[in-house]
Each structure stands twice: as structure tokens, then as C-alpha cells.
Amino acid sequence: MVDYEVAPGGALSMFAIVATSGKQFRVSEGDRIVVDRVSANVGETVHLDSVLLVGGDGGPMVGTPFVSGAAVEATVVSHRSGDKIIVFKFEARKRKRRKTGHRQQLSELRIGAIRAPDGKIGERTAANARPASTERPVSAKPAPKARRPAAAPAPKSTQE
């Protein structure tokens, strides 16, 4: 079990959200993830450049859609096959049945290093900085709408 909140030294651990093989993973250094088969051999290093978010002590850096300059380095631990999935197709009253199986080819990656752009973690540039909260002036509120008096009810006519 990985504790994502606090690193051993008491500081917040650096983490990243990466997109690979159509899925998104929240990773920190030392984590192991299982992704679709990558073309690298066992023991080779893979660079994951599609980093959606980098977080740490200074706060998160969110990309649009990716954080430019950020990368995650991972080492291929093993290649394996996933669980077997049975695909059974059946058409009623036609004596048509087809049963096939499928095993997804997977790779296990160990996350080595998370590299933030320019070596800075969580700092925002002036263009991306949020403006300071500004109080709305009292005179900027719109005037309340005048209420119309309720219409008098029409007299009821009784027909006997």
C-alpha cells in the first residue's frame, strides 16, 4: 500500500498523472503500474511524456492538456499476458454459436523519476497565475426587481 499523502521525510511526495495506452494513472516514485504492452525490452527505460498534472510541495501544475517539459521515467519490469476473456456469440433459433478467447498483452512498469519542467515543482508562471480574489464593490450589485402586486381573485359565480 502506497501512502500518497506524506513522504518519509514529512514533505509531500511528488506525484504525476500520466496518460498511456488510453488510461490515466496517478504515479509517484517507486510505484508499479500495469499498462498495455510497450515495445521496450525488460530492463530498458521508457519515457512517458504525456503528463497531465504534476504535484508536490509547491502545489499542482495542470497541463492544457499536457504539462510541457514534464516527463516520467519508468523501467520495464516484466511482460505478461492478462486474464483470459471469453467471447461467446450466440444467435437464437439459428444454430449459430461462436466461442473465442483473448488475452491482453501487458507490461509492468516501475516509476523511477518524475521530471517537472525547469526543475521547479508547482510554481506557476505569471501567465497562468490566478488573479487575487477581488471584492465586488457594493454599488455593482443590480437593483432588486420591483414586485407586482398579486392580481385580485375573480369573483366566483355560482350557477344553480
Side-chain angles (χ1 to χ4, degrees), residues 62-96:
V62 181
T64 55
F66 302 118
V67 178
S68 61
V72 174
E73 293 181 4
T75 305
V76 179
V77 176
S78 65
H79 295 299
R80 63 178 187 224
S81 297
D83 295 335
K84 187 165 192 175
I85 297 171
I86 303 298
V87 180
F88 185 75
K89 298 197 176 185
F90 171 80
E91 289 187 30
R93 299 186 303 272
K94 292 187 172 52
R95 296 185 70 177
K96 187 174 180 181

PDB file of all heavy atoms in Angstrom, residues 62-96:
ATOM      1  N   VAL A  62      -1.062  22.030 -13.702  1.00  0.00           N
ATOM      2  CA  VAL A  62      -2.029  21.364 -14.564  1.00  0.00           C
ATOM      3  C   VAL A  62      -1.732  21.740 -16.005  1.00  0.00           C
ATOM      4  O   VAL A  62      -1.532  22.908 -16.322  1.00  0.00           O
ATOM      5  CB  VAL A  62      -3.468  21.770 -14.184  1.00  0.00           C
ATOM      6  CG1 VAL A  62      -4.479  21.066 -15.066  1.00  0.00           C
ATOM      7  CG2 VAL A  62      -3.729  21.465 -12.723  1.00  0.00           C
ATOM      8  N   GLY A  63      -1.698  20.744 -16.884  1.00  0.00           N
ATOM      9  CA  GLY A  63      -1.427  20.988 -18.285  1.00  0.00           C
ATOM     10  C   GLY A  63      -2.695  21.238 -19.071  1.00  0.00           C
ATOM     11  O   GLY A  63      -3.802  20.946 -18.616  1.00  0.00           O
ATOM     12  N   THR A  64      -2.524  21.768 -20.267  1.00  0.00           N
ATOM     13  CA  THR A  64      -3.666  22.009 -21.153  1.00  0.00           C
ATOM     14  C   THR A  64      -3.383  21.428 -22.522  1.00  0.00           C
ATOM     15  O   THR A  64      -2.983  22.163 -23.399  1.00  0.00           O
ATOM     16  CB  THR A  64      -3.951  23.511 -21.278  1.00  0.00           C
ATOM     17  OG1 THR A  64      -2.756  24.157 -21.692  1.00  0.00           O
ATOM     18  CG2 THR A  64      -4.446  24.110 -19.996  1.00  0.00           C
ATOM     19  N   PRO A  65      -3.509  20.205 -22.855  1.00  0.00           N
ATOM     20  CA  PRO A  65      -3.844  19.097 -21.967  1.00  0.00           C
ATOM     21  C   PRO A  65      -2.634  18.505 -21.262  1.00  0.00           C
ATOM     22  O   PRO A  65      -2.786  17.816 -20.259  1.00  0.00           O
ATOM     23  CB  PRO A  65      -4.459  18.081 -22.909  1.00  0.00           C
ATOM     24  CG  PRO A  65      -3.729  18.276 -24.188  1.00  0.00           C
ATOM     25  CD  PRO A  65      -3.463  19.769 -24.256  1.00  0.00           C
ATOM     26  N   PHE A  66      -1.413  18.731 -21.773  1.00  0.00           N
ATOM     27  CA  PHE A  66      -0.228  18.150 -21.153  1.00  0.00           C
ATOM     28  C   PHE A  66       0.656  19.252 -20.586  1.00  0.00           C
ATOM     29  O   PHE A  66       0.664  20.373 -21.079  1.00  0.00           O
ATOM     30  CB  PHE A  66       0.577  17.332 -22.173  1.00  0.00           C
ATOM     31  CG  PHE A  66      -0.217  16.227 -22.809  1.00  0.00           C
ATOM     32  CD1 PHE A  66      -0.451  16.212 -24.174  1.00  0.00           C
ATOM     33  CD2 PHE A  66      -0.742  15.208 -22.055  1.00  0.00           C
ATOM     34  CE1 PHE A  66      -1.184  15.211 -24.768  1.00  0.00           C
ATOM     35  CE2 PHE A  66      -1.486  14.193 -22.629  1.00  0.00           C
ATOM     36  CZ  PHE A  66      -1.704  14.195 -23.983  1.00  0.00           C
ATOM     37  N   VAL A  67       1.436  18.903 -19.552  1.00  0.00           N
ATOM     38  CA  VAL A  67       2.395  19.834 -18.976  1.00  0.00           C
ATOM     39  C   VAL A  67       3.630  19.801 -19.875  1.00  0.00           C
ATOM     40  O   VAL A  67       4.278  18.761 -20.007  1.00  0.00           O
ATOM     41  CB  VAL A  67       2.767  19.432 -17.534  1.00  0.00           C
ATOM     42  CG1 VAL A  67       3.797  20.391 -16.967  1.00  0.00           C
ATOM     43  CG2 VAL A  67       1.538  19.393 -16.657  1.00  0.00           C
ATOM     44  N   SER A  68       3.942  20.933 -20.517  1.00  0.00           N
ATOM     45  CA  SER A  68       5.074  20.959 -21.440  1.00  0.00           C
ATOM     46  C   SER A  68       6.380  20.878 -20.659  1.00  0.00           C
ATOM     47  O   SER A  68       6.572  21.576 -19.667  1.00  0.00           O
ATOM     48  CB  SER A  68       5.044  22.223 -22.293  1.00  0.00           C
ATOM     49  OG  SER A  68       5.141  23.356 -21.460  1.00  0.00           O
ATOM     50  N   GLY A  69       7.261  19.999 -21.099  1.00  0.00           N
ATOM     51  CA  GLY A  69       8.553  19.843 -20.451  1.00  0.00           C
ATOM     52  C   GLY A  69       8.565  18.819 -19.334  1.00  0.00           C
ATOM     53  O   GLY A  69       9.630  18.463 -18.842  1.00  0.00           O
ATOM     54  N   ALA A  70       7.431  18.325 -18.903  1.00  0.00           N
ATOM     55  CA  ALA A  70       7.383  17.330 -17.833  1.00  0.00           C
ATOM     56  C   ALA A  70       7.451  15.934 -18.439  1.00  0.00           C
ATOM     57  O   ALA A  70       6.962  15.691 -19.536  1.00  0.00           O
ATOM     58  CB  ALA A  70       6.109  17.479 -17.016  1.00  0.00           C
ATOM     59  N   ALA A  71       8.078  15.024 -17.718  1.00  0.00           N
ATOM     60  CA  ALA A  71       8.187  13.646 -18.180  1.00  0.00           C
ATOM     61  C   ALA A  71       8.302  12.725 -16.980  1.00  0.00           C
ATOM     62  O   ALA A  71       8.698  13.139 -15.888  1.00  0.00           O
ATOM     63  CB  ALA A  71       9.398  13.469 -19.084  1.00  0.00           C
ATOM     64  N   VAL A  72       7.942  11.476 -17.188  1.00  0.00           N
ATOM     65  CA  VAL A  72       8.063  10.444 -16.163  1.00  0.00           C
ATOM     66  C   VAL A  72       8.927   9.335 -16.753  1.00  0.00           C
ATOM     67  O   VAL A  72       8.680   8.868 -17.865  1.00  0.00           O
ATOM     68  CB  VAL A  72       6.682   9.898 -15.756  1.00  0.00           C
ATOM     69  CG1 VAL A  72       6.825   8.724 -14.809  1.00  0.00           C
ATOM     70  CG2 VAL A  72       5.847  10.992 -15.117  1.00  0.00           C
ATOM     71  N   GLU A  73       9.959   8.936 -16.017  1.00  0.00           N
ATOM     72  CA  GLU A  73      10.832   7.848 -16.454  1.00  0.00           C
ATOM     73  C   GLU A  73      10.404   6.576 -15.744  1.00  0.00           C
ATOM     74  O   GLU A  73      10.218   6.569 -14.529  1.00  0.00           O
ATOM     75  CB  GLU A  73      12.284   8.161 -16.143  1.00  0.00           C
ATOM     76  CG  GLU A  73      12.838   9.325 -16.935  1.00  0.00           C
ATOM     77  CD  GLU A  73      14.291   9.604 -16.613  1.00  0.00           C
ATOM     78  OE1 GLU A  73      14.888   8.841 -15.829  1.00  0.00           O
ATOM     79  OE2 GLU A  73      14.813  10.592 -17.135  1.00  0.00           O
ATOM     80  N   ALA A  74      10.259   5.505 -16.521  1.00  0.00           N
ATOM     81  CA  ALA A  74       9.838   4.230 -15.962  1.00  0.00           C
ATOM     82  C   ALA A  74      10.704   3.124 -16.533  1.00  0.00           C
ATOM     83  O   ALA A  74      11.173   3.210 -17.669  1.00  0.00           O
ATOM     84  CB  ALA A  74       8.374   3.964 -16.275  1.00  0.00           C
ATOM     85  N   THR A  75      10.923   2.085 -15.742  1.00  0.00           N
ATOM     86  CA  THR A  75      11.700   0.932 -16.163  1.00  0.00           C
ATOM     87  C   THR A  75      10.753  -0.242 -16.375  1.00  0.00           C
ATOM     88  O   THR A  75       9.869  -0.486 -15.550  1.00  0.00           O
ATOM     89  CB  THR A  75      12.740   0.559 -15.092  1.00  0.00           C
ATOM     90  OG1 THR A  75      13.533   1.712 -14.822  1.00  0.00           O
ATOM     91  CG2 THR A  75      13.627  -0.566 -15.553  1.00  0.00           C
ATOM     92  N   VAL A  76      10.941  -0.974 -17.469  1.00  0.00           N
ATOM     93  CA  VAL A  76      10.100  -2.140 -17.759  1.00  0.00           C
ATOM     94  C   VAL A  76      10.549  -3.276 -16.850  1.00  0.00           C
ATOM     95  O   VAL A  76      11.700  -3.718 -16.900  1.00  0.00           O
ATOM     96  CB  VAL A  76      10.211  -2.545 -19.241  1.00  0.00           C
ATOM     97  CG1 VAL A  76       9.355  -3.765 -19.514  1.00  0.00           C
ATOM     98  CG2 VAL A  76       9.805  -1.394 -20.141  1.00  0.00           C
ATOM     99  N   VAL A  77       9.641  -3.748 -15.991  1.00  0.00           N
ATOM    100  CA  VAL A  77       9.958  -4.824 -15.051  1.00  0.00           C
ATOM    101  C   VAL A  77       9.695  -6.176 -15.697  1.00  0.00           C
ATOM    102  O   VAL A  77      10.521  -7.093 -15.606  1.00  0.00           O
ATOM    103  CB  VAL A  77       9.134  -4.667 -13.756  1.00  0.00           C
ATOM    104  CG1 VAL A  77       9.382  -5.824 -12.813  1.00  0.00           C
ATOM    105  CG2 VAL A  77       9.456  -3.353 -13.090  1.00  0.00           C
ATOM    106  N   SER A  78       8.536  -6.316 -16.359  1.00  0.00           N
ATOM    107  CA  SER A  78       8.205  -7.603 -16.973  1.00  0.00           C
ATOM    108  C   SER A  78       7.135  -7.410 -18.035  1.00  0.00           C
ATOM    109  O   SER A  78       6.453  -6.384 -18.075  1.00  0.00           O
ATOM    110  CB  SER A  78       7.704  -8.595 -15.914  1.00  0.00           C
ATOM    111  OG  SER A  78       6.485  -8.136 -15.369  1.00  0.00           O
ATOM    112  N   HIS A  79       7.027  -8.419 -18.892  1.00  0.00           N
ATOM    113  CA  HIS A  79       5.945  -8.517 -19.862  1.00  0.00           C
ATOM    114  C   HIS A  79       5.134  -9.746 -19.482  1.00  0.00           C
ATOM    115  O   HIS A  79       5.694 -10.771 -19.086  1.00  0.00           O
ATOM    116  CB  HIS A  79       6.484  -8.696 -21.287  1.00  0.00           C
ATOM    117  CG  HIS A  79       7.261  -7.521 -21.793  1.00  0.00           C
ATOM    118  ND1 HIS A  79       6.718  -6.264 -21.924  1.00  0.00           N
ATOM    119  CD2 HIS A  79       8.552  -7.417 -22.207  1.00  0.00           C
ATOM    120  CE1 HIS A  79       7.629  -5.442 -22.407  1.00  0.00           C
ATOM    121  NE2 HIS A  79       8.754  -6.103 -22.572  1.00  0.00           N
ATOM    122  N   ARG A  80       3.817  -9.646 -19.619  1.00  0.00           N
ATOM    123  CA  ARG A  80       2.972 -10.795 -19.292  1.00  0.00           C
ATOM    124  C   ARG A  80       1.652 -10.693 -20.024  1.00  0.00           C
ATOM    125  O   ARG A  80       1.353  -9.679 -20.657  1.00  0.00           O
ATOM    126  CB  ARG A  80       2.747 -10.891 -17.790  1.00  0.00           C
ATOM    127  CG  ARG A  80       2.007  -9.721 -17.203  1.00  0.00           C
ATOM    128  CD  ARG A  80       1.783  -9.932 -15.722  1.00  0.00           C
ATOM    129  NE  ARG A  80       0.942  -8.895 -15.173  1.00  0.00           N
ATOM    130  CZ  ARG A  80       1.166  -8.292 -14.040  1.00  0.00           C
ATOM    131  NH1 ARG A  80       2.219  -8.588 -13.336  1.00  0.00           N
ATOM    132  NH2 ARG A  80       0.336  -7.374 -13.606  1.00  0.00           N
ATOM    133  N   SER A  81       0.869 -11.733 -19.920  1.00  0.00           N
ATOM    134  CA  SER A  81      -0.464 -11.761 -20.520  1.00  0.00           C
ATOM    135  C   SER A  81      -1.488 -11.528 -19.429  1.00  0.00           C
ATOM    136  O   SER A  81      -1.314 -11.991 -18.290  1.00  0.00           O
ATOM    137  CB  SER A  81      -0.728 -13.107 -21.184  1.00  0.00           C
ATOM    138  OG  SER A  81       0.183 -13.303 -22.242  1.00  0.00           O
ATOM    139  N   GLY A  82      -2.552 -10.856 -19.772  1.00  0.00           N
ATOM    140  CA  GLY A  82      -3.621 -10.609 -18.816  1.00  0.00           C
ATOM    141  C   GLY A  82      -4.511 -11.827 -18.669  1.00  0.00           C
ATOM    142  O   GLY A  82      -4.249 -12.902 -19.231  1.00  0.00           O
ATOM    143  N   ASP A  83      -5.570 -11.682 -17.912  1.00  0.00           N
ATOM    144  CA  ASP A  83      -6.522 -12.771 -17.722  1.00  0.00           C
ATOM    145  C   ASP A  83      -7.230 -13.086 -19.031  1.00  0.00           C
ATOM    146  O   ASP A  83      -7.428 -12.208 -19.875  1.00  0.00           O
ATOM    147  CB  ASP A  83      -7.562 -12.388 -16.665  1.00  0.00           C
ATOM    148  CG  ASP A  83      -6.942 -12.214 -15.296  1.00  0.00           C
ATOM    149  OD1 ASP A  83      -5.872 -12.818 -15.049  1.00  0.00           O
ATOM    150  OD2 ASP A  83      -7.505 -11.463 -14.483  1.00  0.00           O
ATOM    151  N   LYS A  84      -7.632 -14.347 -19.170  1.00  0.00           N
ATOM    152  CA  LYS A  84      -8.308 -14.749 -20.395  1.00  0.00           C
ATOM    153  C   LYS A  84      -9.751 -14.262 -20.355  1.00  0.00           C
ATOM    154  O   LYS A  84     -10.447 -14.392 -19.350  1.00  0.00           O
ATOM    155  CB  LYS A  84      -8.283 -16.261 -20.553  1.00  0.00           C
ATOM    156  CG  LYS A  84      -8.814 -16.723 -21.883  1.00  0.00           C
ATOM    157  CD  LYS A  84      -8.450 -18.152 -22.161  1.00  0.00           C
ATOM    158  CE  LYS A  84      -8.746 -18.445 -23.604  1.00  0.00           C
ATOM    159  NZ  LYS A  84      -8.303 -19.786 -23.978  1.00  0.00           N
ATOM    160  N   ILE A  85     -10.157 -13.684 -21.469  1.00  0.00           N
ATOM    161  CA  ILE A  85     -11.524 -13.200 -21.614  1.00  0.00           C
ATOM    162  C   ILE A  85     -12.215 -14.074 -22.643  1.00  0.00           C
ATOM    163  O   ILE A  85     -11.693 -14.273 -23.745  1.00  0.00           O
ATOM    164  CB  ILE A  85     -11.532 -11.726 -22.069  1.00  0.00           C
ATOM    165  CG1 ILE A  85     -10.878 -10.859 -21.010  1.00  0.00           C
ATOM    166  CG2 ILE A  85     -12.948 -11.256 -22.346  1.00  0.00           C
ATOM    167  CD1 ILE A  85     -10.644  -9.436 -21.459  1.00  0.00           C
ATOM    168  N   ILE A  86     -13.382 -14.620 -22.295  1.00  0.00           N
ATOM    169  CA  ILE A  86     -14.137 -15.473 -23.197  1.00  0.00           C
ATOM    170  C   ILE A  86     -15.164 -14.617 -23.930  1.00  0.00           C
ATOM    171  O   ILE A  86     -15.943 -13.895 -23.306  1.00  0.00           O
ATOM    172  CB  ILE A  86     -14.873 -16.594 -22.430  1.00  0.00           C
ATOM    173  CG1 ILE A  86     -13.865 -17.418 -21.627  1.00  0.00           C
ATOM    174  CG2 ILE A  86     -15.670 -17.470 -23.367  1.00  0.00           C
ATOM    175  CD1 ILE A  86     -12.841 -18.127 -22.467  1.00  0.00           C
ATOM    176  N   VAL A  87     -15.178 -14.714 -25.250  1.00  0.00           N
ATOM    177  CA  VAL A  87     -16.159 -14.011 -26.079  1.00  0.00           C
ATOM    178  C   VAL A  87     -17.047 -15.077 -26.696  1.00  0.00           C
ATOM    179  O   VAL A  87     -16.589 -15.895 -27.502  1.00  0.00           O
ATOM    180  CB  VAL A  87     -15.464 -13.178 -27.179  1.00  0.00           C
ATOM    181  CG1 VAL A  87     -16.495 -12.462 -28.018  1.00  0.00           C
ATOM    182  CG2 VAL A  87     -14.485 -12.199 -26.567  1.00  0.00           C
ATOM    183  N   PHE A  88     -18.322 -15.095 -26.303  1.00  0.00           N
ATOM    184  CA  PHE A  88     -19.260 -16.095 -26.802  1.00  0.00           C
ATOM    185  C   PHE A  88     -20.379 -15.376 -27.540  1.00  0.00           C
ATOM    186  O   PHE A  88     -21.107 -14.587 -26.947  1.00  0.00           O
ATOM    187  CB  PHE A  88     -19.830 -16.921 -25.646  1.00  0.00           C
ATOM    188  CG  PHE A  88     -20.709 -18.051 -26.091  1.00  0.00           C
ATOM    189  CD1 PHE A  88     -20.152 -19.191 -26.638  1.00  0.00           C
ATOM    190  CD2 PHE A  88     -22.079 -17.974 -25.967  1.00  0.00           C
ATOM    191  CE1 PHE A  88     -20.946 -20.238 -27.050  1.00  0.00           C
ATOM    192  CE2 PHE A  88     -22.883 -19.006 -26.388  1.00  0.00           C
ATOM    193  CZ  PHE A  88     -22.323 -20.146 -26.930  1.00  0.00           C
ATOM    194  N   LYS A  89     -20.500 -15.640 -28.832  1.00  0.00           N
ATOM    195  CA  LYS A  89     -21.550 -15.015 -29.642  1.00  0.00           C
ATOM    196  C   LYS A  89     -22.582 -16.080 -29.969  1.00  0.00           C
ATOM    197  O   LYS A  89     -22.232 -17.203 -30.351  1.00  0.00           O
ATOM    198  CB  LYS A  89     -20.965 -14.420 -30.913  1.00  0.00           C
ATOM    199  CG  LYS A  89     -19.959 -13.332 -30.594  1.00  0.00           C
ATOM    200  CD  LYS A  89     -19.668 -12.470 -31.758  1.00  0.00           C
ATOM    201  CE  LYS A  89     -18.725 -11.369 -31.302  1.00  0.00           C
ATOM    202  NZ  LYS A  89     -18.476 -10.404 -32.322  1.00  0.00           N
ATOM    203  N   PHE A  90     -23.849 -15.711 -29.841  1.00  0.00           N
ATOM    204  CA  PHE A  90     -24.932 -16.676 -29.956  1.00  0.00           C
ATOM    205  C   PHE A  90     -26.105 -16.029 -30.667  1.00  0.00           C
ATOM    206  O   PHE A  90     -26.470 -14.894 -30.353  1.00  0.00           O
ATOM    207  CB  PHE A  90     -25.334 -17.108 -28.536  1.00  0.00           C
ATOM    208  CG  PHE A  90     -26.577 -17.942 -28.471  1.00  0.00           C
ATOM    209  CD1 PHE A  90     -26.529 -19.290 -28.760  1.00  0.00           C
ATOM    210  CD2 PHE A  90     -27.783 -17.393 -28.097  1.00  0.00           C
ATOM    211  CE1 PHE A  90     -27.668 -20.066 -28.692  1.00  0.00           C
ATOM    212  CE2 PHE A  90     -28.925 -18.154 -28.029  1.00  0.00           C
ATOM    213  CZ  PHE A  90     -28.862 -19.499 -28.325  1.00  0.00           C
ATOM    214  N   GLU A  91     -26.666 -16.716 -31.644  1.00  0.00           N
ATOM    215  CA  GLU A  91     -27.884 -16.252 -32.302  1.00  0.00           C
ATOM    216  C   GLU A  91     -28.959 -17.304 -32.086  1.00  0.00           C
ATOM    217  O   GLU A  91     -28.796 -18.466 -32.495  1.00  0.00           O
ATOM    218  CB  GLU A  91     -27.648 -16.023 -33.795  1.00  0.00           C
ATOM    219  CG  GLU A  91     -26.781 -14.807 -34.064  1.00  0.00           C
ATOM    220  CD  GLU A  91     -26.692 -14.485 -35.543  1.00  0.00           C
ATOM    221  OE1 GLU A  91     -27.671 -14.773 -36.282  1.00  0.00           O
ATOM    222  OE2 GLU A  91     -25.657 -13.947 -35.955  1.00  0.00           O
ATOM    223  N   ALA A  92     -30.029 -16.880 -31.455  1.00  0.00           N
ATOM    224  CA  ALA A  92     -31.098 -17.816 -31.114  1.00  0.00           C
ATOM    225  C   ALA A  92     -31.796 -18.313 -32.380  1.00  0.00           C
ATOM    226  O   ALA A  92     -31.932 -17.595 -33.361  1.00  0.00           O
ATOM    227  CB  ALA A  92     -32.106 -17.129 -30.196  1.00  0.00           C
ATOM    228  N   ARG A  93     -32.249 -19.553 -32.344  1.00  0.00           N
ATOM    229  CA  ARG A  93     -33.039 -20.206 -33.403  1.00  0.00           C
ATOM    230  C   ARG A  93     -32.311 -20.264 -34.741  1.00  0.00           C
ATOM    231  O   ARG A  93     -32.936 -20.397 -35.777  1.00  0.00           O
ATOM    232  CB  ARG A  93     -34.392 -19.501 -33.578  1.00  0.00           C
ATOM    233  CG  ARG A  93     -35.244 -19.541 -32.314  1.00  0.00           C
ATOM    234  CD  ARG A  93     -36.621 -18.974 -32.539  1.00  0.00           C
ATOM    235  NE  ARG A  93     -36.615 -17.617 -33.025  1.00  0.00           N
ATOM    236  CZ  ARG A  93     -36.583 -16.539 -32.256  1.00  0.00           C
ATOM    237  NH1 ARG A  93     -36.530 -16.669 -30.950  1.00  0.00           N
ATOM    238  NH2 ARG A  93     -36.600 -15.333 -32.784  1.00  0.00           N
ATOM    239  N   LYS A  94     -30.989 -20.150 -34.739  1.00  0.00           N
ATOM    240  CA  LYS A  94     -30.248 -20.226 -35.996  1.00  0.00           C
ATOM    241  C   LYS A  94     -29.103 -21.235 -35.908  1.00  0.00           C
ATOM    242  O   LYS A  94     -28.340 -21.361 -36.854  1.00  0.00           O
ATOM    243  CB  LYS A  94     -29.692 -18.855 -36.386  1.00  0.00           C
ATOM    244  CG  LYS A  94     -30.773 -17.863 -36.766  1.00  0.00           C
ATOM    245  CD  LYS A  94     -30.160 -16.599 -37.312  1.00  0.00           C
ATOM    246  CE  LYS A  94     -31.174 -15.653 -37.873  1.00  0.00           C
ATOM    247  NZ  LYS A  94     -32.285 -15.299 -37.068  1.00  0.00           N
ATOM    248  N   ARG A  95     -28.954 -21.885 -34.773  1.00  0.00           N
ATOM    249  CA  ARG A  95     -27.884 -22.856 -34.532  1.00  0.00           C
ATOM    250  C   ARG A  95     -26.514 -22.232 -34.802  1.00  0.00           C
ATOM    251  O   ARG A  95     -25.638 -22.866 -35.375  1.00  0.00           O
ATOM    252  CB  ARG A  95     -28.083 -24.105 -35.394  1.00  0.00           C
ATOM    253  CG  ARG A  95     -29.341 -24.856 -35.048  1.00  0.00           C
ATOM    254  CD  ARG A  95     -29.426 -26.110 -35.827  1.00  0.00           C
ATOM    255  NE  ARG A  95     -28.398 -27.053 -35.329  1.00  0.00           N
ATOM    256  CZ  ARG A  95     -28.275 -28.267 -35.798  1.00  0.00           C
ATOM    257  NH1 ARG A  95     -29.046 -28.723 -36.753  1.00  0.00           N
ATOM    258  NH2 ARG A  95     -27.342 -29.064 -35.320  1.00  0.00           N
ATOM    259  N   LYS A  96     -26.364 -20.957 -34.456  1.00  0.00           N
ATOM    260  CA  LYS A  96     -25.107 -20.260 -34.687  1.00  0.00           C
ATOM    261  C   LYS A  96     -24.493 -19.885 -33.344  1.00  0.00           C
ATOM    262  O   LYS A  96     -25.069 -19.125 -32.577  1.00  0.00           O
ATOM    263  CB  LYS A  96     -25.342 -19.001 -35.521  1.00  0.00           C
ATOM    264  CG  LYS A  96     -24.083 -18.306 -35.950  1.00  0.00           C
ATOM    265  CD  LYS A  96     -24.382 -17.167 -36.888  1.00  0.00           C
ATOM    266  CE  LYS A  96     -23.103 -16.482 -37.315  1.00  0.00           C
ATOM    267  NZ  LYS A  96     -23.361 -15.357 -38.213  1.00  0.00           N
TER     268      LYS A  96
END
